């Protein structure tokens, strides 16, 4: 079954705004066994909208219009779809009543143009919108002799998502052949996409019934998406799990999550599980590592704190790095990274300490210590570890890679 | 003049990938006086692609196809456009030669399928691709009796951008009526979009020749985009500048930039200009403020460092907040925010210190100190300032608002 998604709104044809709803809808439709084969963006223009509606209804079994359902003169979706179908809108008294109620509850007088939101395609089911005033519509109809499902959905993402999930998914499922899908996402740290593919392709190509997609997510993270369709959920799940197990065996410790967690969350889980605490001393990452760790709710249970020490003086006064050591080896060195990690660990009485020092650029590089050179250390009081890396890219990317490296070293230390 | 942008590629019809090139192209086209009136996404499917090409060429004067120019069987853009136009592709010997050279330089044997990249529409100008193997094409032709400009561009963003800027902009400009455009963006901190609009609408509505667009960028930042077209660049600039000056007068100190800088950059400029230095002590923002400040290249000239102090012990040991003060007022209080700001300022011998303490949630809230409550303080050794705020939204949003508030207080302190 094929679907087409039409985003309506002149703001989506500017350099400033982009449709993102279609990614959500595509995911939902795929899970029902529906493929999206066209996406269109069209402005608030009667002629253009009717043109797109005609093309979409001509070629797609399911057509989802998003946006253009508001009260203003620019909101043309309802009337253009009606015109395309050759039908007249009818004004629904129940929606009018609901609108009046909505405005009265807020003690605002309802402007007359709001009643346009009560215009309904003949035969359509009204889909109440819990998060906004414009209701959606669901219509099963014929277009040029072919059966079509048409949905009109509000444009704001939180309205669209809630409405689609609560009122469209089950209606669609009831129309479609029964389908059982299982999914799994393996997240892989610090391995290039091409290497990951080279290692697992010999395995997943033996499982043609499982759809395997490899995606480079952010720098230092690759995701392997597995999806199977079968006659029962159990069978689909069995197929996905069988392949996932083989891929995990092959990728071994490079897989950090197979159930959706982020790297920050995984490090947090391990720390909590081990009753361990963490403190960090950052130079070139400038707080990015702390910020990532504390983006996880509840991180205060294992993250004690950290320091951002740009100057040499602060490396000594806040993380107890001996001034002598900096003078001997330079601030960007293996030795200083280790001293930062152990210094902050002791200073905060933490189980583990992380130290990062490097040159994020664009300035500050030298032939011996070029932009992109980073040292990352983890101290646990027994076996300190430190790695030297040369990261490519700009300041933002170098900083991200360094924080990713630190999280991955923590993960491996805690496994 | 109207343009249509067609993104080709089945990956753009999955939940994982999205066309972003069209935002760049729209911006470039708008500056030439061209409006985008349709955008389409279509998969690597012959029938679908021809369908979209027919519709686009039927209704749009400029049609830009992106993607589908590679060497594989899936790359169908060249042949589908040829079929739509009813012409035969010719294989260009110069491109073949260039491809052989490219592969030879890398000491790789060229696979036969690469020669598909040398297939050119009759009459088209080949647009060399400095960053990839697939060249672009520019064709001026007739379709159903109407003059059309067709561009075939490679899909990878860095290839497309470089190629479009270097080879399409001037070609397009030569085809279009002369047009002179001036632009200006005012960035406004910590003012709701609706309030901003209410204050400036009475002014910008008197300048109908300047196109004014108000955009809520991130939490705590609104952008006012001004654009004018006139018979000369000087006249367009004059119109934009005249309105910009009036809007800046009205919005006064809420405008932090009118020439593109970010809030982090502006704070950095002011600090450097005053020869001042900065240190920060963060609790609930967990390093986000440090990370934002240090995302600016050269920030080491004014940012000394900071601490992330989740635990009460570290608030005392790293930022010299008296334990007594925390016991009396609680860690989330006006007093502790001020003590953090002044403690870190003294500890780092900085000109200015920032302290942030609050409850980012989702846990940890109480009726007296609910989730979203944040205190932000700036200390300068003379007139410390502190504000109490209640931010809406989730953990990420609350943390962002708090960091935004701190940057804005620093900015106002330094003006």
């Amino acid at each position: 079954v094929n679907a087409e998604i039409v985003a309506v709104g002149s703001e989506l044809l500017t350099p400033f705004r982009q449709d993102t709803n279609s990614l959500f809808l595509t995911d939902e439709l795929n899970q029902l066994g529906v493929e999206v084969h066209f996406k269109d963006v069209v402005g608030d223009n009667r002629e253009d909208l009717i043109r797109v509606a005609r093309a979409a209804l001509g070629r797609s079994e399911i057509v989802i219009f998003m946006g253009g359902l508001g009260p203003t003169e620019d909101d043309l979706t309802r009337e253009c779809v009606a015109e395309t179908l050759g039908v007249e809108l009818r004004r629904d008294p129940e929606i009018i009543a609901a609108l009046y109620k909505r405005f009265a509850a807020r003690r605002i007088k309802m402007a007359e143009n709001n009643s346009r939101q009560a215009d309904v395609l003949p035969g359509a089911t009204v889909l109440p919108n819990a998060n906004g005033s414009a209701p959606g519509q669901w219509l099963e109809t014929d277009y040029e002799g072919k059966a079509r499902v048409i949905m009109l959905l509000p444009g704001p993402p939180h309205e669209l998502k809630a409405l689609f999930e609560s009122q469209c998914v089950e209606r669609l499922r009831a129309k479609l052949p029964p389908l059982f899908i299982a999914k799994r996402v393996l997240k892989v740290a610090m391995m290039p996409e091409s290497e990951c593919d080279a290692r697992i392709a010999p395995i997943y190509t033996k499982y043609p019934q499982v759809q395997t997609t490899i995606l480079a997510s952010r720098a230092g993270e690759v995701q392997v998406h597995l999806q199977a369709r079968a006659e029962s959920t159990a069978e689909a799940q069995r197929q996905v799990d069988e392949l996932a197990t083989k891929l995990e065996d092959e990728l071994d410790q490079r897989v950090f999550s197979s159930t959706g967690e982020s790297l920050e969350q995984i490090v947090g889980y391990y720390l909590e599980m081990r009753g361990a605490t963490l403190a960090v001393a950052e130079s070139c990452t400038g707080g990015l590592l702390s910020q990532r760790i504390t983006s996880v709710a509840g991180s205060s249970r294992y993250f004690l704190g950290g320091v951002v020490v740009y100057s040499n003086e602060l490396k000594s006064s806040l993380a107890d790095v001996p001034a002598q050591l900096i003078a001997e080896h330079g601030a960007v060195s293996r030795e200083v990274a280790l001293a930062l990690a152990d210094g902050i660990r002791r200073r905060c009485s933490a189980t583990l300490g992380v130290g990062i020092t490097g040159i994020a650029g664009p300035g500050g590089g030298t032939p011996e210590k070029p932009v992109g050179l980073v040292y990352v250390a983890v101290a646990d009081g027994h076996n300190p570890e430190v790695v030297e890396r040369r990261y490519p890219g700009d300041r933002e990317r170098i900083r991200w890679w360094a924080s990713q490296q630190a999280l991955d070293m923590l993960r491996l230390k805690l496994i």
Side-chain angles (χ1 to χ4, degrees), chain A:
Chain A
V1 177
N2 284 326
E4 178 156 354
I5 301 175
V6 182
V8 183
S10 295
E11 73 282 6
L12 299 172
L13 294 170
T14 69
F16 311 120
R17 285 278 181 270
Q18 187 164 28
D19 147 58
T20 52
N21 288 331
S22 68
L23 298 181
F24 161 80
L25 288 175
T26 301
D27 194 23
E28 295 278 328
L29 291 167
N30 289 173
Q31 288 187 52
L32 296 164
V34 177
E35 301 296 327
V36 175
H37 68 155
F38 293 102
K39 300 205 283 189
D40 322 273
V41 180
V42 60
D44 302 309
N45 173 297
R46 189 177 308 264
E47 193 193 338
D48 291 351
L49 186 43
I50 290 172
R51 227 173 212 165
V52 168
R54 279 203 186 121
L57 288 167
R59 66 198 175 190
S60 303
E61 295 160 82
I62 299 170
V63 181
I64 302 181
F65 294 89
M66 319 183 287
L69 297 184
T72 76
E73 288 296 316
D74 278 351
D75 292 302
L76 297 167
T77 304
R78 284 175 295 258
E79 54 197 90
C80 289
V81 172
E83 189 169 334
T84 307
L85 294 172
V87 298
E88 294 279 334
L89 292 167
R90 63 172 184 84
R91 193 148 286 187
D92 184 300
E94 281 182 42
I95 303 180
I96 295 272
L99 284 168
Y100 268 106
K101 235 184 192 165
R102 192 181 159 86
F103 279 86
R106 301 179 176 192
R107 300 175 188 286
I108 311 172
K109 196 175 168 320
M110 187 175 99
E112 173 49 29
N113 58 3
N114 277 286
S115 15
R116 302 181 71 243
Q117 296 177 96
D119 289 345
V120 175
L121 295 164
T125 306
V126 173
L127 309 174
N129 180 350
N131 302 300
S133 60
Q137 301 188 30
W138 166 285
L139 178 65
E140 298 173 29
T141 188
D142 261 32
Y143 182 77
E144 297 177 348
K146 287 165 285 186
R148 297 292 182 244
V149 173
I150 301 172
M151 285 171 252
L152 313 188
L153 302 179
H158 70 288
E159 298 183 22
L160 175 130
K161 283 183 191 180
L163 202 156
F164 189 83
E165 279 173 350
S166 65
Q167 296 174 77
C168 300
V169 171
E170 283 313 315
R171 278 195 176 84
L172 265 179
R173 198 192 304 277
K175 298 273 309 165
L176 296 165
L179 179 76
F180 302 96
I181 288 188
K183 282 178 144 191
R184 193 94 173 260
V185 179
L186 304 184
K187 295 188 182 179
V188 180
M190 303 306 269
M191 179 184 274
E193 190 180 0
S194 54
E195 184 187 332
C196 180
D197 194 22
R199 281 177 63 172
I200 66 175
I203 305 169
Y204 70 70
T205 47
K206 290 195 197 110
Y207 288 77
Q209 74 282 23
V210 180
Q211 185 188 324
T212 302
T213 313
I214 301 178
L215 294 168
S217 156
R218 292 205 64 153
E221 180 177 326
V222 168
Q223 300 186 350
V224 183
H225 289 248
L226 307 178
Q227 182 173 308
R229 296 173 184 183
E231 312 72 55
S232 71
T233 308
E235 174 56 18
Q237 193 65 54
R238 198 197 57 71
Q239 292 180 6
V240 160
D241 289 346
E242 187 181 322
L243 176 55
T245 305
K246 299 219 164 153
L247 297 183
E248 288 197 71
D249 284 351
E250 169 59 33
L251 295 170
D252 196 28
Q253 296 197 340
R254 303 276 25 113
V255 175
F256 67 83
S257 156
S258 63
T259 44
E261 302 87 349
S262 68
L263 186 54
E264 294 87 333
Q265 284 177 314
I266 288 292
V267 167
Y269 287 154
Y270 281 131
L271 284 166
E272 273 206 271
M273 205 163 60
R274 304 224 176 276
T277 55
L278 176 65
V280 308
E282 305 180 61
S283 180
C284 65
T285 43
L288 176 59
L289 178 59
S290 289
Q291 184 258 309
R292 289 185 63 185
I293 293 167
T294 60
S295 68
V296 178
S299 48
S300 57
R301 289 194 294 270
Y302 47 83
F303 183 72
L304 300 180
V307 295
V308 178
V309 283
Y310 257 30
S311 70
N312 289 345
E313 295 72 44
L314 288 187
K315 286 185 180 71
S316 299
S317 70
L318 288 177
D320 300 324
V321 179
Q324 175 72 18
L325 198 75
I326 300 177
E328 260 174 49
H329 301 279
V332 178
S333 63
R334 196 175 288 273
E335 290 77 9
V336 167
L338 283 166
L340 283 167
D342 203 53
I344 198 66
R345 187 184 70 81
R346 288 169 188 271
R347 182 66 83 95
C348 299
S349 307
T351 323
L352 294 171
V354 173
I356 303 180
T357 179
I359 298 163
T366 65
E368 300 79 47
K369 301 200 170 170
V371 168
L373 176 69
V374 177
Y375 295 92
V376 182
V378 174
D380 62 357
H382 309 288
N383 300 302
E385 284 174 46
V386 60
V387 299
E388 177 187 307
R389 291 284 184 272
R390 278 284 312 272
Y391 296 118
D394 61 8
R395 184 177 179 85
E396 190 187 343
R397 219 172 141 80
I398 291 166
R399 282 158 46 107
W400 180 268
W401 272 112
S403 69
Q404 188 77 354
Q405 174 69 34
L407 288 170
D408 197 45
M409 285 171 74
L410 282 169
R411 176 179 74 86
L412 293 173
K413 191 82 166 177
L414 289 160
I415 281 179

